[in-house]
Amino acid sequence: MSTSRQNHWHAIEESEVLNLLESQAENGLDTEIARERFEKVGPNALSQKKDKNPFILFLQQFNQPLVYILLGASAITALLQEWIDSGVIFGVVLVNAVIGFLQETKAMKAIRALSQAMTSDATVIRSGQKRRVSSTELVPGDIVVLQSGDKVPADIRLIRTRELQIDESALTGESVPVEKRVKILAPDCVLADRCNMAYGSTLVTYGTALGVVIATGDRSEIGRINELIATAEVLATPLTRRIGQFSHLLLKVILALAALTFLVGILRGESWIDMFMAAVALAVGAIPEGLPAALTITLAIGVGKMAKRHAIIRKLPAVETLGSTTIICSDKTGTLTQNQMTVQEIHAAGFKLSVSGVGYAPEGNFNRSGIEYEAATHPALLECLKAGLLCNDSQLVETNEGWRVEGDPTEGALITAAHKAGLHQHRLDQSLPRIDAIPFESQHQYMATLHDCIDGKRLVYLKGSVESLLSRCSNALDEEGQIAKLDKDHCHQDVEAMAANGMRVLAFACVELTDQQTEISHDDLASGLTFIGLQGMIDPPRPEAIEAVSACQSAGVTVKMITGDHGVTAAAIAQEIGLKGRRLENGQLAAITGHQLAEMSDEQIDEAVQQTAVFARVAPEQKLRLVEAMQRRGDVVAMTGDGVNDAPALRRADIGVAMGITGTEVSKEAADMVLTNDNFASIRAAVEEGRGVYDNLIKFITWTLPTNLGEGLVILTAVFAGLTLPILPVQILWINMSTAVLLGLMLAFEPKEPGIMDRPPRDPQSNILSAGLIGRILLVGFMLLLGAYGLFEWELAQGESEAVARTVTVNVFVFGELFYLFNCRSLRYSVLHLGFFTNPLLLVGATGMILLQLFYTYSPMMNTAFGSAPIGIVEWLNILCVSFAIYMVVGIEKWWIRKREARDC
């Protein structure tokens, strides 16, 4: 058995294919030979890589800088015998690790789902006998019989076909079943155009065929996709990259300051035990213990909001990634379009009529030159619609979910168009009952139906390709429905104009038979037909998709179309939707095909993705190359898809978006997000929610870091000055944990600010905090230092105990954070601009924090546990003055920045 030409089976004669595989079309493989080949090549199944040891996978979840810091904090608090605080911190770490572990174990489910997609039974011929075997038993050289309803069990070179149509949408993205026939193709023919091949996991929708297996398991096309999924690198999200960088920096700073604190104290002659506790206090104060919990909860809240807008998030970081997206690569069929073929133009009797309405709902009218046209007054139009309705084997059915087609989508479009003119199948079937029919055959390219007329005559209606019907026509219908001269050149011009707009064009004809015959043959229809007209149909764009694309582009997000459909159709839809990209000389959007991509270097593809908006007839590895090219340019890429062929690119993209209705299980498992309504408008909504989530995360970080900075500075100042520590480690933990829960987490519920989709996406290379926000953090941190240390020393100077002074210090931090929280509701505007009551949960949290702090200050139990003490009204006034000063200073700073920006503009 030779496999030296295995990549070009479609370019070889059938007889040569059989010779290379040492098989026979009539008898198939000998059973013994099949067994030997099975032992050699193995089962027809996708191999699965050995999974990582679950325990090792779980331990890897702790291999993160921020987790190191938290584990250190947990260990330190355990040394202090603060078991509750230690347990809470470790619990946060443990929950995050479990979530990460569960997500990572799901990552390879795509391959398992892909393997299941390959499993089915198959009819083979072995030793001259037909038999049913499991698809896993197939070997190269097996002769397979295919019929309607079968799942293709392996990659097969077709030897004989009879009206064979295969749904390859899961593999190529082709929106309608593909007609298959036996012929030799060019070696460089792209997969989607290989009409003499049938590929594993696709579905036979019509006809029968005989073919020889040329590849099984990992050597098949779907096996190649499996390998692409397994090897596709999963990139860190923008947030995880930034948090990782930030955590590394924070780890180094905290360790350096703790070491410096310990060293300075020792050099000053202090006790090493006291200095160790001071270093511990500084480390605990500087660690933002609430950050991981806030990150997880904020993302989880975003998940809930997106679910309400038809976007199901499978991986938490994907929430924020959506807000960072700079390019959305969308499939065409069903996502940007209705996935319902619709007749949009009819040419009859030399006139062009437009048809309004979209989808299968029989709602719409006819227009001629922009003026509504009554179909009943146009006999040629009625005949054209009648031909489409009668020469038809499909049904239009109304369900609770809307109108749907039982049968071929193209025929469904013809039925809908006829219904818009008041024509209905059941009435016409009664007046013109069908007697006989010739089904569509690829070699003839038409379908014909014979009908009995009331006057006893026989009438034949035909629909098919323009080329097949025009050659058989000798005349045409005029506007009054009378026989007239046929202008074939004019017809071809109409067809070219409709095809240029991406329409699929069908021609219609009829002929009256004088004999009372009950059967028709191709000979009866060889000539003398009357041309009725043309119907042009397309899968129209969703109106909400047009609006969503415009909104994304206004927000600085580029939208590109990557589809398995034909280039002309894709470019026409893209232009109607409003995509922006390189145009041809005639003004049409340019489309790059998979054949062209195959000839391009990586550098040429890098340039192409920058200029071109439409990519058509692309193979799975080409989708992967396109995504990688965009990422090399620094873009954050969201990729949509529904087929098996989309899975590698979905996994590689910064965020993969699968379709919930039409999507395969493979694509859903590989994706980060699933759209429950398969609608591009839901992606736009998810981008908006993602931006809101990221805003709230930045607000939390901007709010929490000044506290950590202020606490660290207080400890440093005390050690460097050789003074008493104004705050103890256990008190620092109280501040950090209580405020993070009751105050900081309330920012996760902050509603989106106006104009969130009017600004460009964030630069993926930018730091997590801007220079302006870093300045604000330093400003508030030093104000907390001055207020806390100043009041601590003031209380001691007034003769108060250290417990009272430290209680004042703790309350300065807590109430300073509380007042600053209202500043952080917007990083740009004042709380008055947003509306004081627009986040009621924040007000609840602030109230709860005040009550809890009163409990901390005056409860004997808390006084014992935390070393606090009751304070008087004067102390409270001082605390509130410091807190209000922080609020006012930050408010003035924001006002000054807005004024400066307005002046610069």
Side-chain angles (χ1 to χ4, degrees):
M1 179 183 66
S2 172
T3 57
S4 59
R5 302 174 69 178
Q6 63 178 342
N7 292 327
H8 300 295
W9 294 109
H10 58 279
I12 309 174
E13 285 275 5
E14 299 85 63
S15 58
E16 187 177 354
V17 172
L18 290 169
N19 287 334
L20 288 169
L21 293 168
E22 300 173 8
S23 186
Q24 298 177 5
E26 301 302 327
N27 297 321
L29 291 176
D30 182 80
T31 303
E32 185 62 26
I33 292 175
R35 185 185 63 78
E36 292 174 359
R37 289 188 183 180
F38 183 84
E39 292 176 355
K40 181 179 179 180
V41 302
N44 177 32
L46 301 180
S47 61
Q48 298 183 25
K49 291 187 177 181
K50 187 177 180 181
D51 292 336
K52 292 180 181 178
N53 182 290
F55 182 67
I56 299 297
L57 193 61
F58 180 70
L59 290 181
Q60 287 179 343
Q61 307 307 313
F62 296 90
N63 187 24
Q64 301 174 43
L66 195 58
V67 173
Y68 298 157
I69 298 172
L70 290 172
L71 287 174
S74 180
I76 290 168
T77 50
L79 289 174
L80 294 173
Q81 296 186 351
E82 298 296 335
W83 306 116
I84 295 177
D85 297 313
S86 178
V88 168
I89 298 171
F90 185 73
V92 169
V93 175
L94 192 62
V95 168
N96 287 334
V98 169
I99 292 172
F101 172 75
L102 293 176
Q103 289 177 353
E104 196 160 338
T105 53
K106 287 180 181 178
M108 297 311 294
K109 278 189 178 179
I111 294 177
R112 298 192 191 101
L114 194 54
S115 181
Q116 293 168 1
M118 287 284 290
T119 303
S120 60
D121 288 335
T123 302
V124 300
I125 299 176
R126 285 182 181 170
S127 299
Q129 295 183 340
K130 279 187 182 181
R131 63 185 68 182
R132 292 286 288 178
V133 300
S134 170
S135 64
T136 58
E137 298 177 22
L138 293 180
V139 296
D142 260 326
I143 301 299
V144 176
V145 179
L146 296 176
Q147 59 186 8
S148 180
D150 285 350
K151 179 184 287 185
V152 179
D155 287 0
I156 294 172
R157 171 65 157 87
L158 299 173
I159 301 172
R160 300 173 197 156
T161 63
R162 181 173 176 80
E163 316 309 327
L164 183 66
Q165 295 183 18
I166 295 181
D167 179 359
E168 296 184 331
S169 58
L171 187 65
T172 67
E174 180 73 57
S175 55
V176 294
V178 179
E179 297 172 18
K180 297 291 183 176
R181 55 190 180 277
V182 177
K183 62 181 292 188
I184 300 175
L185 303 172
D188 60 353
C189 180
V190 297
L191 185 144
D193 292 331
R194 294 176 190 171
C195 62
N196 61 4
M197 299 289 297
Y199 292 103
S201 84
T202 59
L203 297 173
V204 179
T205 60
Y206 190 79
T208 60
L210 192 74
V212 56
V213 174
I214 54 94
T216 59
D218 291 336
R219 292 165 295 281
S220 66
E221 281 297 323
I222 202 151
R224 191 166 56 83
I225 293 173
N226 177 57
E227 181 63 24
L228 289 174
I229 297 174
T231 57
E233 182 184 355
V234 181
L235 301 182
T237 68
L239 179 67
T240 54
R241 287 197 294 268
R242 293 189 186 107
I243 290 292
Q245 295 165 357
F246 173 72
S247 300
H248 276 101
L249 177 62
L250 193 60
L251 177 63
K252 293 174 183 177
V253 170
I254 290 173
L255 293 177
L257 289 178
L260 179 63
T261 300
F262 183 78
L263 183 61
V264 168
I266 293 297
L267 292 176
R268 291 179 57 87
E270 301 289 346
S271 163
W272 71 269
I273 295 179
D274 290 342
M275 288 305 96
F276 176 75
M277 293 306 297
V280 167
L282 187 143
V284 171
I287 294 171
E289 292 91 349
L291 182 56
L295 180 65
T296 301
I297 292 171
T298 303
L299 292 175
I301 291 169
V303 167
K305 290 180 179 179
M306 289 183 184
K308 294 177 181 177
R309 304 185 74 172
H310 307 289
I312 304 299
I313 301 297
R314 296 185 64 252
K315 301 173 185 177
L316 275 182
V319 177
E320 181 275 333
T321 308
L322 280 160
S324 310
T325 300
T326 58
I327 294 180
I328 299 174
C329 298
S330 178
D331 190 18
K332 176 184 72 70
T333 306
T335 308
L336 292 170
T337 64
Q338 301 274 350
N339 198 20
Q340 295 183 350
M341 295 297 286
T342 304
V343 174
Q344 291 195 330
E345 269 187 34
I346 298 177
H347 291 249
F351 294 100
K352 169 187 171 183
L353 295 107
S354 300
V355 186
S356 64
V358 293
Y360 296 133
E363 300 167 358
N365 50 46
F366 302 86
N367 293 276
R368 182 172 167 183
S369 301
I371 301 173
E372 188 170 334
Y373 195 81
E374 187 62 44
T377 64
H378 196 314
L381 171 61
L382 285 178
E383 278 300 303
C384 188
L385 294 170
K386 190 185 297 182
L389 188 59
L390 289 173
C391 193
N392 201 307
D393 287 329
S394 299
Q395 298 286 330
L396 188 65
V397 180
E398 186 177 15
T399 67
N400 292 333
E401 289 77 32
W403 292 87
R404 63 179 178 84
V405 170
E406 292 182 351
D408 185 76
T410 300
E411 292 189 334
L414 298 176
I415 298 171
T416 301
H419 281 202
K420 292 176 183 178
L423 300 176
H424 296 281
Q425 277 175 305
H426 64 279
R427 295 175 190 167
L428 283 179
D429 286 340
Q430 291 174 0
S431 60
L432 292 168
R434 182 189 293 190
I435 301 173
D436 192 23
I438 297 177
F440 182 90
E441 296 176 348
S442 55
Q443 63 266 39
H444 296 291
Q445 292 290 308
Y446 68 79
M447 173 186 176
T449 54
L450 175 63
H451 299 271
D452 185 14
C453 300
I454 297 176
D455 56 7
K457 295 179 181 180
R458 297 287 191 263
L459 186 62
V460 179
Y461 283 110
L462 301 92
K463 78 165 186 285
S465 69
V466 177
E467 295 79 8
S468 66
L469 292 193
L470 270 183
S471 63
R472 292 172 166 82
C473 292
S474 57
N475 50 52
L477 288 184
D478 64 12
E479 192 170 3
E480 301 300 324
Q482 303 300 313
I483 301 297
K485 182 181 178 181
L486 173 62
D487 187 345
K488 293 186 178 181
D489 290 337
H490 188 267
C491 285
H492 283 299
Q493 290 173 5
D494 289 342
V495 171
E496 289 174 5
M498 296 165 81
N501 289 324
M503 294 186 191
R504 183 182 184 187
V505 184
L506 287 178
F508 298 86
C510 66
V511 63
E512 189 176 291
L513 302 179
T514 54
D515 297 333
Q516 295 294 308
Q517 59 195 74
T518 58
E519 294 182 353
I520 51 173
S521 66
H522 293 295
D523 292 338
D524 296 323
L525 309 174
S527 62
L529 305 184
T530 298
F531 180 76
I532 302 176
L534 305 168
Q535 293 194 45
M537 62 195 70
I538 199 169
D539 181 10
R542 295 174 180 260
E544 62 270 28
I546 297 175
E547 181 183 344
V549 166
S550 176
C552 286
Q553 291 174 339
S554 298
V557 180
T558 303
V559 181
K560 296 183 184 294
M561 179 190 291
I562 302 179
T563 179
D565 218 334
H566 294 279
V568 173
T569 303
I573 291 293
Q575 186 147 322
E576 189 172 352
I577 286 173
L579 298 192
K580 297 177 181 178
R582 182 172 62 87
R583 293 182 178 270
L584 303 174
E585 293 181 358
N586 61 4
Q588 294 288 325
L589 273 176
I592 293 179
T593 64
H595 181 74
Q596 293 170 312
L597 285 172
E599 304 295 325
M600 291 183 177
S601 65
D602 286 345
E603 291 74 20
Q604 289 172 319
I605 290 183
D606 288 349
E607 183 178 351
V609 297
Q610 187 172 3
Q611 299 177 351
T612 307
V614 182
F615 298 89
R617 307 301 270 180
V618 291
E621 66 272 14
Q622 291 170 337
K623 291 187 177 186
L624 200 57
R625 288 185 72 193
L626 289 170
V627 171
E628 289 170 345
M630 295 173 202
Q631 290 172 334
R632 280 196 297 271
R633 295 179 60 246
D635 286 304
V636 177
V637 183
M639 172 79 185
T640 76
D642 57 4
V644 172
N645 61 323
D646 296 315
L650 290 175
R651 183 163 167 78
R652 167 71 192 199
D654 295 281
I655 176 162
V657 183
M659 303 297 111
I661 299 174
T662 60
T664 60
E665 287 304 312
V666 178
S667 64
K668 293 175 187 176
E669 290 294 342
D672 305 286
M673 182 175 83
V674 179
L675 300 184
T676 59
N677 61 353
D678 290 10
N679 194 332
F680 184 87
S682 297
I683 304 177
R684 183 261 179 199
V687 169
E688 182 180 4
E689 292 294 344
R691 289 188 173 190
V693 166
Y694 185 83
D695 281 358
N696 289 347
L697 285 173
I698 297 302
K699 290 172 185 177
F700 178 86
I701 294 172
T702 306
W703 170 81
T704 193
L705 288 185
T707 304
N708 302 114
L709 175 64
E711 290 167 343
L713 289 174
V714 164
I715 302 299
L716 277 176
T717 302
V719 172
F720 278 45
L723 302 174
T724 305
L725 289 180
I727 192 168
L728 300 174
V730 68
Q731 294 171 335
I732 291 175
L733 275 173
W734 166 262
I735 296 170
N736 291 355
M737 299 306 290
S738 62
T739 57
V741 173
L742 289 174
L743 299 182
L745 287 182
M746 299 304 108
L747 289 172
F749 300 94
E750 195 64 36
K752 296 182 295 293
E753 294 187 32
I756 198 168
M757 288 296 285
D758 294 333
R759 65 193 191 203
R762 299 183 309 278
D763 181 358
Q765 307 304 320
S766 64
N767 295 320
I768 194 166
L769 293 173
S770 66
L773 290 181
I774 292 173
R776 186 177 301 170
I777 289 168
L778 292 173
L779 172 66
V780 176
F782 276 100
M783 289 188 70
L784 286 171
L785 165 67
L786 293 174
Y789 212 96
L791 290 183
F792 176 78
E793 291 297 327
W794 170 264
E795 293 298 326
L796 291 180
Q798 299 301 310
E800 296 290 350
S801 65
E802 288 183 0
V804 170
R806 282 174 176 151
T807 302
V808 170
T809 302
V810 169
N811 280 298
V812 166
F813 277 104
V814 170
F815 281 87
E817 283 189 89
L818 193 153
F819 276 71
Y820 179 52
L821 180 71
F822 287 91
N823 291 122
C824 290
R825 287 192 59 195
S826 171
L827 300 178
R828 177 179 171 82
Y829 299 104
S830 73
V831 68
L832 299 178
H833 177 84
L834 299 177
F836 192 79
F837 298 100
T838 52
N839 185 356
L841 284 176
L842 184 139
L843 299 177
V844 172
T847 302
M849 189 72 246
I850 293 171
L851 295 175
L852 190 62
Q853 205 55 31
L854 290 174
F855 180 67
Y856 170 90
T857 304
Y858 295 107
S859 167
M861 178 183 70
M862 298 298 282
N863 295 159
T864 302
F866 289 93
S868 59
I871 57 177
I873 188 66
V874 175
E875 284 77 13
W876 281 116
L877 289 174
N878 291 334
I879 292 166
L880 293 176
C881 285
V882 170
S883 303
F884 186 71
I886 292 172
Y887 173 80
M888 289 302 298
V889 169
V890 174
I892 292 169
E893 181 246 2
K894 289 199 289 185
W895 170 81
W896 179 78
I897 290 175
R898 291 197 305 273
K899 186 176 181 180
R900 186 184 62 184
E901 289 175 349
R903 185 176 64 249
D904 292 342
C905 292

